[in-house]
Amino acid sequence: RLSLREVLSWTMLVYNPLGLISPLILRAKVLIRRLQGEGGPIPWDRDMAKEEKALWAPLFLEIQDSGVLCFPRVAAPLEG
Protein backbone atom coordinates (compact mmCIF):
# COMPACT_ATOMS: atom_id res chain seq x y z
CA ARG A 1 0.00 0.00 0.00
CA LEU A 2 1.41 3.34 -1.04
CA SER A 3 -0.35 6.59 -0.21
CA LEU A 4 0.48 10.27 -0.52
CA ARG A 5 1.00 10.43 3.25
CA GLU A 6 3.60 7.64 3.15
CA VAL A 7 5.42 9.10 0.17
CA LEU A 8 5.56 12.58 1.66
CA SER A 9 6.66 11.23 5.03
CA TRP A 10 9.39 9.13 3.45
CA THR A 11 10.61 12.02 1.27
CA MET A 12 10.85 14.43 4.21
CA LEU A 13 12.55 11.80 6.38
CA VAL A 14 15.77 11.94 4.34
CA TYR A 15 18.45 14.03 6.05
CA ASN A 16 20.62 15.63 3.40
CA PRO A 17 22.67 18.48 4.92
CA LEU A 18 25.35 18.47 2.22
CA GLY A 19 22.93 18.15 -0.68
CA LEU A 20 24.56 14.98 -1.99
CA ILE A 21 21.27 13.32 -2.87
CA SER A 22 19.37 16.49 -3.74
CA PRO A 23 18.72 15.32 -7.32
CA LEU A 24 16.81 12.30 -5.98
CA ILE A 25 14.89 14.32 -3.42
CA LEU A 26 14.00 16.91 -6.05
CA ARG A 27 12.59 14.18 -8.30
CA ALA A 28 10.48 12.93 -5.39
CA LYS A 29 9.15 16.43 -4.73
CA VAL A 30 8.27 16.86 -8.40
CA LEU A 31 6.35 13.57 -8.32
CA ILE A 32 4.49 14.72 -5.19
CA ARG A 33 3.61 17.95 -6.96
CA ARG A 34 2.38 15.97 -9.96
CA LEU A 35 0.13 13.89 -7.69
CA GLN A 36 -1.39 17.02 -6.18
CA GLY A 37 -1.85 18.74 -9.53
CA GLU A 38 -3.86 16.09 -11.36
CA GLY A 39 -7.51 17.04 -10.95
CA GLY A 40 -7.08 18.65 -7.56
CA PRO A 41 -5.65 17.34 -4.29
CA ILE A 42 -5.95 13.63 -3.57
CA PRO A 43 -6.85 12.19 -0.16
CA TRP A 44 -3.84 11.59 2.11
CA ASP A 45 -4.54 7.92 2.72
CA ARG A 46 -5.86 6.85 -0.69
CA ASP A 47 -3.93 3.97 -2.19
CA MET A 48 -2.14 5.13 -5.34
CA ALA A 49 -3.07 3.75 -8.73
CA LYS A 50 -0.69 1.31 -10.45
CA GLU A 51 0.47 4.03 -12.86
CA GLU A 52 1.41 6.30 -9.96
CA LYS A 53 3.20 3.49 -8.13
CA ALA A 54 5.16 2.72 -11.31
CA LEU A 55 6.58 6.25 -11.18
CA TRP A 56 7.69 5.87 -7.56
CA ALA A 57 9.22 2.38 -7.65
CA PRO A 58 12.39 3.27 -9.61
CA LEU A 59 12.97 6.35 -7.47
CA PHE A 60 12.67 4.39 -4.21
CA LEU A 61 15.07 1.75 -5.53
CA GLU A 62 17.58 4.39 -6.59
CA ILE A 63 17.46 6.07 -3.18
CA GLN A 64 17.89 2.72 -1.42
CA ASP A 65 20.86 1.91 -3.65
CA SER A 66 22.51 5.24 -2.79
CA GLY A 67 23.53 3.72 0.54
CA VAL A 68 24.33 5.36 3.82
CA LEU A 69 26.98 8.03 4.02
CA CYS A 70 28.80 8.37 7.28
CA PHE A 71 31.16 11.22 8.12
CA PRO A 72 33.04 10.56 11.37
CA ARG A 73 33.37 13.62 13.55
CA VAL A 74 35.87 14.12 16.31
CA ALA A 75 35.21 16.41 19.25
CA ALA A 76 38.76 16.14 20.59
CA PRO A 77 42.16 15.99 18.93
CA LEU A 78 43.18 12.54 17.77
CA GLU A 79 46.63 12.82 19.38
CA GLY A 80 47.11 13.16 23.08
Side-chain angles (χ1 to χ4, degrees):
R1 177 174 156 90
L2 189 61
S3 67
L4 177 61
R5 182 184 308 270
E6 292 172 22
V7 166
L8 186 60
S9 173
W10 192 86
T11 302
M12 296 302 144
L13 178 72
V14 176
Y15 182 64
N16 185 29
L18 298 176
L20 298 175
I21 58 171
S22 289
L24 298 175
I25 301 304
L26 182 60
R27 283 179 32 208
K29 289 180 180 182
V30 167
L31 286 175
I32 291 170
R33 180 69 172 181
R34 177 191 265 181
L35 284 175
Q36 290 290 10
E38 295 175 354
I42 63 171
W44 282 97
D45 295 315
R46 178 184 64 93
D47 195 22
M48 289 186 191
K50 287 184 181 182
E51 300 83 27
E52 295 167 340
K53 287 180 183 179
L55 295 173
W56 284 96
L59 181 62
F60 283 147
L61 291 175
E62 193 172 343
I63 291 174
Q64 286 178 348
D65 290 342
S66 67
V68 176
L69 296 175
C70 181
F71 296 96
R73 296 182 294 171
V74 177
L78 291 175
E79 296 177 15

